[in-house]
Amino acid sequence: MKQNTTSSAKSFGIVGYPLSHSLSPLIHNSLYREKGIDAEYSVFESPQLDRKKLQELISAGVEGISVTIPHKETAFSLADRADSASEIMKASNTLLFRNGSINAHNTDGEGALRSVLEWSPDSLHTGKTLILGSGGSARGIAYSLATSNRLRELVLCSRNEGAGKEIVDLIAKHSPVRVEYVSPESISNLRDEFSLVVHTTPLGMKGQAPGPFLGREFFHPGIALFDIVYNPLITPLVAAAKEAGCTVIPGSEMLLFQAMKQFELFTGTVPDEKDILNTRERLSQALSGR
């Protein structure tokens, strides 16, 4: 595996499929340069993630990886140790390779929570929170929101009923928040009860099915929408919410904040406010032409 690093440089990267849209290398490599860290962050696109793939990365000198769609649940299953969010929700978006051990972390939830607190903190408690989807991202986000001591009630809606109900059961066991599963066919009956909607599926992502998961008629001005898709920033779901007068939290904010935590895990350096502002500006510029 070819690495564009010097012999002394640390090596990190991202694993997922597809990855042509990823802005993670821009985030991490820019921070390495600005903070004088001898490291390189590369793209390791792969439709499969297994022990053979991880061993290949480790043998090439990679010390840690970001993990994205569709490998987050697999990443957790391959780890020797895991943080509490990963352990409880069975999904991880970060793997560290240290001292012969594979350590799993989930920074998705922290990134999502920080995004909501920056843009629409009241939406966490004025009504119910709706999470759309049941994949790896939904798991981490559901856990962090439910354990934040800020939610009134959590509703999960997904096309995969089995996976959705599994998340609901896990949340019910590990948080005091009231939580329930509602099918896509029934969710419109509850539209007036929601103050925050978090969309975690690939619908609307560049190269994926456009969606939207919900129609224009679902939204009202009392809802804040957080669509974690960031390429493009204006997905069909975001367009529907904007048309209805909703507050919209940019999907790039979760990318920003989860990456800040990954950067800290990879390098041991805590990003400061200047790092956050500079990275937000870089993301804005990169996404403006997409």
Side-chain angles (χ1 to χ4, degrees), residues 31 35 62 66 71 108 110 117 140 142 194 229:
L31 286 171
K35 302 191 85 64
V62 177
S66 309
H71 301 320
D108 279 338
E110 181 175 333
L117 290 175
F194 296 116
V229 171

Tab-separated table of all heavy atoms in Angstrom, residues 31 35 62 66 71 108 110 117 140 142 194 229:
chain	number	residue	atom	x	y	z
A	31	LEU	N	-5.150	20.722	9.388
A	31	LEU	CA	-4.810	20.870	10.801
A	31	LEU	C	-3.381	20.422	11.088
A	31	LEU	O	-2.664	21.045	11.883
A	31	LEU	CB	-5.794	20.077	11.665
A	31	LEU	CG	-7.193	20.676	11.811
A	31	LEU	CD1	-8.130	19.694	12.492
A	31	LEU	CD2	-7.141	21.983	12.594
A	35	LYS	N	-0.690	23.093	12.662
A	35	LYS	CA	-0.204	22.849	14.020
A	35	LYS	C	1.181	22.205	14.028
A	35	LYS	O	1.677	21.812	15.101
A	35	LYS	CB	-1.225	21.990	14.784
A	35	LYS	CG	-2.610	22.654	14.829
A	35	LYS	CD	-3.560	21.984	15.783
A	35	LYS	CE	-3.394	22.483	17.201
A	35	LYS	NZ	-3.738	23.923	17.355
A	62	VAL	N	-0.206	2.633	9.278
A	62	VAL	CA	-1.345	3.478	9.653
A	62	VAL	C	-1.627	3.304	11.145
A	62	VAL	O	-1.674	2.184	11.649
A	62	VAL	CB	-2.590	3.106	8.821
A	62	VAL	CG1	-3.791	3.936	9.254
A	62	VAL	CG2	-2.301	3.311	7.333
A	66	SER	N	-10.534	6.936	10.367
A	66	SER	CA	-11.943	7.297	10.443
A	66	SER	C	-12.701	6.229	9.669
A	66	SER	O	-12.220	5.723	8.654
A	66	SER	CB	-12.181	8.656	9.793
A	66	SER	OG	-11.302	9.642	10.276
A	71	HIS	N	-19.389	0.938	7.035
A	71	HIS	CA	-18.564	0.036	7.849
A	71	HIS	C	-18.596	0.284	9.368
A	71	HIS	O	-17.815	-0.329	10.093
A	71	HIS	CB	-17.103	0.125	7.393
A	71	HIS	CG	-16.880	-0.230	5.963
A	71	HIS	ND1	-17.539	-1.267	5.340
A	71	HIS	CD2	-16.050	0.321	5.023
A	71	HIS	CE1	-17.129	-1.342	4.080
A	71	HIS	NE2	-16.241	-0.394	3.869
A	108	ASP	N	-19.356	10.343	16.426
A	108	ASP	CA	-20.534	10.851	15.712
A	108	ASP	C	-21.499	11.561	16.648
A	108	ASP	O	-21.977	12.664	16.365
A	108	ASP	CB	-21.284	9.708	15.024
A	108	ASP	CG	-20.671	9.299	13.695
A	108	ASP	OD1	-19.950	10.132	13.096
A	108	ASP	OD2	-20.920	8.170	13.246
A	110	GLU	N	-21.091	12.850	19.682
A	110	GLU	CA	-20.560	14.097	20.233
A	110	GLU	C	-20.606	15.200	19.184
A	110	GLU	O	-20.959	16.349	19.482
A	110	GLU	CB	-19.130	13.891	20.726
A	110	GLU	CG	-18.512	15.139	21.324
A	110	GLU	CD	-17.124	14.897	21.918
A	110	GLU	OE1	-16.852	13.760	22.332
A	110	GLU	OE2	-16.342	15.847	21.981
A	117	LEU	N	-26.310	22.033	19.730
A	117	LEU	CA	-26.136	23.026	20.790
A	117	LEU	C	-25.662	24.362	20.226
A	117	LEU	O	-25.979	25.427	20.781
A	117	LEU	CB	-25.139	22.507	21.833
A	117	LEU	CG	-25.630	21.348	22.702
A	117	LEU	CD1	-24.517	20.851	23.613
A	117	LEU	CD2	-26.843	21.767	23.532
A	140	GLY	N	-24.794	6.114	17.039
A	140	GLY	CA	-23.968	7.026	17.825
A	140	GLY	C	-24.700	8.297	18.209
A	140	GLY	O	-24.584	8.784	19.333
A	142	ALA	N	-28.034	8.745	18.429
A	142	ALA	CA	-29.100	8.438	19.383
A	142	ALA	C	-28.544	8.323	20.795
A	142	ALA	O	-29.130	8.846	21.759
A	142	ALA	CB	-29.813	7.143	18.986
A	194	PHE	N	-42.861	17.207	17.117
A	194	PHE	CA	-41.399	17.249	17.007
A	194	PHE	C	-40.862	18.671	16.995
A	194	PHE	O	-41.419	19.563	16.343
A	194	PHE	CB	-40.943	16.524	15.741
A	194	PHE	CG	-41.251	15.049	15.746
A	194	PHE	CD1	-42.125	14.512	14.819
A	194	PHE	CD2	-40.682	14.215	16.683
A	194	PHE	CE1	-42.419	13.160	14.825
A	194	PHE	CE2	-40.968	12.858	16.708
A	194	PHE	CZ	-41.840	12.331	15.765
A	229	VAL	N	-26.169	14.723	5.992
A	229	VAL	CA	-25.581	14.742	4.651
A	229	VAL	C	-25.026	16.148	4.411
A	229	VAL	O	-25.701	17.145	4.662
A	229	VAL	CB	-26.633	14.397	3.578
A	229	VAL	CG1	-26.066	14.627	2.176
A	229	VAL	CG2	-27.091	12.956	3.735
